[in-house]
Amino acid sequence: MGIPLEALVGRHGWSMGGRRRRPPFFQTKKVAILGCTESIRYAPWTDPSWTLVAHNSARNLMEREPDWWMDLHTPACFQQKKKWAPTYYTWLQEQHTPIFMQEAYPHIPAAVRYPKERILSEYRPFFTNQVAWMIALALTEGVRDIGLYGCQYKADTEYGIQRESCVYWLGRFEGAGGRVH
C-alpha cells in the first residue's frame, strides 16, 4: 500500500528539509545526475541553482548530500547483499533524503514512487538505465539544464547496452530545447 501522503509531505507537498515528495519533484530547472565514474568530481556541488540526483551506488563519492537518490531496481535486487555495500538495504531503510523507487515501500520511509505511468503515457518506452528514467522525468518537470557527472557508459562493459538509451533521452531533451552540460 505505501505510506499515507500526509506522513510524507507537509501542508504544501514539502517534506522535512524542503524536498519535494510529489510533483513537481525538482526545486530548480537544472538537474545534475550523478553516477560512479571519475567525472563525478566536476558536479556542481556548491551551486544551489542545481538539483542533485544521485544513483545510490555513488553514495560514498558525494561531496554533499544530494537532493534525491535513485534506485529503480526491484526489491529482489536492492534487498540482496552486495559486494560493494554489504549493508545497502539497511542504508536505504535509514535514509531521510527522498529516494526515487518503483514503489513507496513502507519499509523504506524515504522511498518515493517514481511516476512511471506518467512517463510512459507521454513517451516511447526506451529505457535501459536509471539515468534515462531521470532524463525523461526532467522533461516532464520543465527542467532546462541537465548535467551528467559520473555517468559514462563504455561500449566494452556490461553498461554498453545502456548507452543507447541514455543518448536517446539526451537527444530528446536537447530536441525539446534543453541544454546538456
Side-chain angles (χ1 to χ4, degrees):
M1 169 71 77
I3 300 170
L5 184 62
E6 56 276 2
L8 291 174
V9 299
R11 224 177 63 199
H12 300 291
W14 294 92
S15 70
M16 300 294 287
R19 294 184 176 110
R20 284 297 275 190
R21 300 294 290 247
R22 59 187 169 106
F25 296 109
F26 304 130
Q27 293 179 355
T28 68
K29 295 300 179 184
K30 293 178 169 183
V31 171
I33 301 173
L34 311 176
C36 295
T37 64
E38 189 175 303
S39 67
I40 194 172
R41 68 178 177 219
Y42 301 111
W45 301 109
T46 60
D47 185 344
S49 69
W50 287 85
T51 297
L52 303 183
V53 181
H55 190 282
N56 290 349
S57 63
R59 67 188 191 285
N60 295 329
L61 303 172
M62 297 294 109
E63 291 185 22
R64 77 161 176 87
E65 186 76 7
D67 301 292
W68 285 89
W69 293 107
M70 60 176 155
D71 188 335
L72 298 175
H73 295 101
T74 64
C77 183
F78 65 71
Q79 289 175 343
Q80 69 184 351
K81 289 208 182 270
K82 305 189 178 304
K83 288 181 190 176
W84 54 269
T87 60
Y88 180 64
Y89 183 56
T90 302
W91 178 85
L92 285 172
Q93 294 173 312
E94 295 173 349
Q95 279 308 295
H96 298 286
T97 299
I99 308 167
F100 281 119
M101 301 189 88
Q102 287 188 19
E103 298 293 336
Y105 301 108
H107 52 281
I108 302 173
V112 175
R113 188 176 190 280
Y114 180 87
K116 182 177 179 179
E117 292 79 13
R118 180 174 109 198
I119 301 303
L120 293 175
S121 73
E122 294 184 40
Y123 300 109
R124 129 180 218 223
F126 183 39
F127 299 96
T128 60
N129 60 75
Q130 297 186 66
V131 171
W133 286 107
M134 290 303 125
I135 295 168
L137 181 59
L139 274 165
T140 68
E141 297 268 316
V143 168
R144 293 187 303 262
D145 292 83
I146 285 182
L148 297 183
Y149 304 93
C151 301
Q152 284 77 31
Y153 295 106
K154 294 181 180 178
D156 60 344
T157 69
E158 66 177 291
Y159 301 109
I161 61 169
Q162 297 178 1
R163 183 183 184 127
E164 291 176 8
S165 176
C166 183
V167 170
Y168 170 81
W169 285 101
L170 287 172
R172 290 286 309 254
F173 183 76
E174 284 186 316
R179 290 181 299 253
V180 177
H181 297 262

